[in-house]
Amino acid sequence: MSEEKKPFLGNPQETIAVLQKYHFTFQKKFGQNFLIDPHVLEKIIRAAEITKEDYVLEIGPGIGTMTQYLSCAAGKVCAVEIDRNLIPILEDTLNGFENVTVLNEDILKVDIGELARRQNGGRPIKVVANLPYYITTPIIMGLLESHAPVASMTVMVQKEVAARMQAAPGTKDYGALSLAVQYYAEPYIAANVPPNCFMPRPGVGSAVIRLTLHKRPPVEVKDEALLFGIIRASFNQRRKTLVNGLKNDQVLDFSREEIEEAAAACGLPLAIRGETLSLKQFAALSNALGNIRDKRKK
Ligand code: SAM
């Protein structure tokens, strides 16, 4: 039996050696900032609580640094990398890490539900990534909205984005992203990571956030699309009162009287601003407006 390989990447010297060996040039358009700090890598693995029972999806393995750590902690790892110049490098650095499969694909085009069904018998998978920052929100929201079997996502994101995902009502960071993320998952910021832990250094601070997916949403909502439509409209018009913000929205199409009726039914003052409402209050408002819309149809 072959001996299990240990991670050897994750420090500046080895990273530079690999990059030079393959004459690799960073592609800005792919958000390439590779991790070069073993403490940060260990923190990510710990925060993700990976065991040998787990099937892990890594988004954007780069030269395979975190992939090596994941390989040692998990049962199986699937790493999806868009940059084909990295594929020969990954074949080299992951040689001997037997439980890793690399796919040369765009993660936004991968059907993750199908992957979990095919590779993990439909059991929930764990997603771990140092995300390419230019597509953080589409990746996270795409995954959450797809209802794919995912137990948790432990991801490195821009510090400000992590703060927005975890923000509470009435704070400056609170917005549509906070509500959408908190509807599907419980966020927890596990670490702040400075730019010097990456090569090249990003122009922004980073944070590791773990999103543990709810088995069931924390609020009962009859129409998810209506809930998210109301949230979007409320934050599009941040300075306006809730009633004015919703009344002006073309897509929602509720009259002032209908919105006031729904707000009253939920015990919300008419002068309240959307940005102070909790997820529970948005859910109640969405159910009340849904009832009014249903009555209208009859
Ligand atoms: N995991 C590596 C590390 O921590 O050192 C690299 C992280 S780097 C921030 C982001 C990685 O995602 C890069 O390797 C980049 O090429 C890859 N990437 C960018 N867009 C992608 C996409 N749409 N699908 C899959 N991978 C992508």
Side-chain angles (χ1 to χ4, degrees), residues 207-224:
V208 177
I209 190 161
R210 178 183 156 136
L211 306 177
T212 309
L213 274 77
H214 299 305
K215 294 218 165 57
R216 274 194 293 128
V219 290
E220 217 169 287
V221 176
K222 288 191 201 128
D223 181 346
E224 279 185 6

Side-chain angles (χ1 to χ4, degrees), residues 169 174-176 179 219-221 223 226-235 242 246 266 268 273-289:
Y174 190 58
L179 284 151
V219 290
E220 217 169 287
V221 176
D223 181 346
L226 180 59
L227 170 71
F228 289 115
I230 291 168
I231 290 172
R232 177 189 43 75
S234 306
F235 286 95
L242 178 73
L246 299 185
C266 302
L268 296 172
R273 284 172 196 266
E275 66 202 31
T276 63
L277 261 62
S278 66
L279 176 59
K280 209 170 155 190
Q281 288 172 312
F282 270 115
L285 185 66
S286 136
N287 289 338
L289 280 169

Side-chain angles (χ1 to χ4, degrees), residues 30-35 58 60-62 81-82 106-107 130 134:
F30 289 144
Q32 292 174 338
N33 300 95
F34 298 164
L35 271 167
E58 186 191 6
E81 175 56 60
I82 198 169
D106 176 350
I107 191 65
N130 170 15
Y134 74 108

Side-chain angles (χ1 to χ4, degrees), residues 77-186:
V77 181
C78 174
V80 178
E81 175 56 60
I82 198 169
D83 185 354
R84 66 184 153 84
N85 293 332
L86 286 166
I87 302 304
I89 303 183
L90 287 165
E91 273 165 21
D92 181 4
T93 58
L94 298 175
N95 182 23
F97 291 86
E98 305 288 351
N99 57 353
V100 179
T101 311
V102 175
L103 301 179
N104 183 200
E105 283 186 51
D106 176 350
I107 191 65
L108 295 176
K109 296 190 180 142
V110 174
D111 182 340
I112 292 165
E114 167 63 14
L115 182 94
R117 276 186 288 282
R118 210 167 4 100
Q119 303 284 335
N120 201 36
R123 286 184 302 282
I125 62 170
K126 288 183 179 167
V127 175
V128 184
N130 170 15
L131 285 178
Y133 293 173
Y134 74 108
I135 43 169
T136 299
T137 312
I139 291 177
I140 293 180
M141 288 317 302
L143 256 167
L144 293 173
E145 287 167 0
S146 74
H147 295 277
V150 172
S152 64
M153 291 186 223
T154 306
V155 287
M156 180 86 73
V157 297
Q158 210 175 310
K159 200 172 159 190
E160 285 73 21
V161 178
R164 280 164 52 206
M165 289 196 258
Q166 208 192 25
T171 62
K172 75 170 179 17
D173 292 321
Y174 190 58
L177 182 67
S178 328
L179 284 151
V181 164
Q182 292 168 28
Y183 178 74
Y184 291 107
E186 191 184 329

